[in-house]
Structures are given as structure tokens and as C-alpha cells.
Amino acid sequence: MNNRLEEIRKLHGIKQEELAAVLEVSRQTIGSLENGRYNPSILLAFKIARYFNMRIEDIFIYEED
Amino acid sequence: MKKTEHARYKLFSGVGFLMFVGGLILVKSFPAAEDYMLVLPYLCIGIGTGVFGYNLGELLKFAAVKKDPAAAKQIEIETKDERNVTIALKAKSKAYDLMTMVFAALLLAFAMMSAELYIILTFTAAYLFIVGTNAYYLIKYRKEM
């Protein structure tokens, strides 16, 4: 699964640390999400989408194999 | 940390310390002890030190984070962080797989060395207990999820 988290975060002008603090996750989790090394739980995906006032599928892009 | 949790750590650190001191007193009081009395003091020292150390550590951690709420919040975030939890579970899962293999290999090795039957049976019981626990939680979680 790909995502546009880094792009959207930078568009909003916030740092990884700030996003992590708002979402109550570690900064490493944000880094891993942005690098595509880690896929979030549905709860975290919702929290991210709500924070940016977007839909989950606008941030996380599902790709079939 | 809740008040009851704090009280529990205090209680157990006290119990651990008493066990440790009791063990030392037993060692000094009965130098020519036999059978279980030979083992008991060292068991008390070992368990007492472990219990005392762990609970004292938790109390010190509590004292440290009490002074710094921001650090306490960060520790809570790191502990509950879903990626950290997933990593911990994955690591535990790998270790479990390895442990069952090591157990099986040790069991085979002991059997080939013609070890005492009680040793092999103890190993078998421990192995079956672990595998049984795994099966129990598989069934439990299948029903729950």
C-alpha cells in the first residue's frame, strides 16, 4: 500500500514530531508510514484522515498485486 | 501509575528485600544445612533480589516521571504506540517459534543421552504446556475475533 502522508504533511507545514504528538504515536511510526515500511491499523488511518480532514483513500492508496 | 499499583510495588519491594535478608540470615545461621535447607536460603536470595530490584526500579521510574509529566506522556505514547506493539509481538512470535524448536531438539538430545526419565518427562510436560497454551489462545481468539 502506498500513501501520500509525507506530501500531505508537508503541505500542511507540520513536522513529523508534531503529527506524532497529535496522533499520540511515536515519531518513528510516522517515519515508517511515510517510507511505506509500515501500514497503519484502520484506527490510526482514520485518525490521520480526520486530522487532515480528508478521506482515508485520499491518503492511503490500495494497490492490488 | 495508579495508587494501588504504587502500593503494590512498595509492598513487593519490601517483600523482596525481606526475602533477600532472610536468605542471608539463613546462610549465616545454618552453614551445615542439608537437603532443601541447603537450597532454600539461596533461593530466597535469588528470588528476593529479583523481586526487590524489579519493584524498586518501577518505584524509581514512577518517581522520575512524576517530576516530568511530559516525559511520562512520551513513555506512555512509546508503550502504546501500535508499531512498537506490533514489533514486540512479532519478535515474541519469532522467539516462540525458535523456542519450540530448541525445546524439541533438547528433548531429543536428552533422550539420546539416556537421561533420567524424570528429566525427559519434565521437559515433555513443559513443552506440552507451552504448545497447549498456544492451542488454547488460538481457540479463544478465534471465538473472540
Side-chain angles (χ1 to χ4, degrees):
Chain A
M1 187 165 68
N2 284 330
N3 69 72
R4 297 172 51 225
L5 186 59
E6 187 175 6
E7 175 199 333
I8 293 164
R9 176 179 62 76
K10 284 179 177 169
L11 270 175
H12 282 74
I14 54 169
K15 292 177 187 166
Q16 282 189 343
E17 288 86 351
E18 291 164 342
L19 182 60
V22 172
L23 299 171
E24 295 197 331
V25 295
S26 67
R27 192 204 53 78
Q28 287 83 356
T29 297
I30 301 297
S32 294
L33 285 170
E34 289 183 356
N35 290 332
R37 286 198 307 264
Y38 175 69
N39 289 326
S41 68
I42 192 75
L43 288 175
L44 183 56
F46 265 112
K47 276 172 106 177
I48 294 168
R50 287 238 170 116
Y51 177 73
F52 290 116
N53 210 13
M54 295 171 89
R55 295 180 308 161
I56 289 179
E57 53 267 46
D58 294 332
I59 304 170
F60 297 97
I61 301 125
Y62 173 69
E63 286 174 339
E64 282 192 54
D65 291 329
Chain B
M1 192 188 282
K2 289 176 195 165
K3 223 174 183 181
T4 50
E5 217 174 337
H6 190 247
R8 198 180 68 209
Y9 287 131
K10 264 186 180 170
L11 175 76
F12 278 104
S13 60
V15 169
F17 185 71
L18 286 178
M19 276 182 83
F20 169 68
V21 173
L24 286 180
I25 292 169
L26 283 175
V27 168
K28 287 284 173 194
S29 308
F30 304 101
E34 286 177 9
D35 294 332
Y36 72 92
M37 274 305 284
L38 185 71
V39 184
L40 187 70
Y42 296 103
L43 210 62
C44 282
I45 291 171
I47 295 172
T49 312
V51 171
F52 175 64
Y54 171 75
N55 288 285
L56 188 70
E58 290 297 317
L59 282 174
L60 290 175
K61 199 165 80 182
F62 173 67
V65 297
K66 204 178 170 185
K67 288 177 190 162
D68 191 352
K73 182 73 184 165
Q74 194 53 41
I75 290 171
E76 193 191 340
I77 286 173
E78 293 285 340
T79 312
K80 288 182 179 172
D81 180 71
E82 66 169 51
R83 178 174 159 271
N84 286 346
V85 172
T86 306
I87 289 170
L89 289 177
K90 268 190 153 184
K92 223 183 277 186
S93 154
K94 291 276 177 204
Y96 170 80
D97 288 343
L98 189 65
M99 187 185 69
T100 51
M101 279 189 267
V102 169
F103 248 100
L106 271 176
L107 200 59
L108 193 68
F110 275 115
M112 286 170 79
M113 285 189 288
S114 306
E116 296 272 355
L117 189 63
Y118 76 90
I119 295 175
I120 295 172
L121 287 179
T122 308
F123 251 102
T124 312
Y127 182 75
L128 289 177
F129 177 69
I130 290 164
V131 173
T133 306
N134 183 30
Y136 169 78
Y137 280 106
L138 276 175
I139 294 165
K140 185 176 183 281
Y141 291 141
R142 271 183 195 147
K143 280 180 189 167
E144 283 176 8
M145 293 181 188

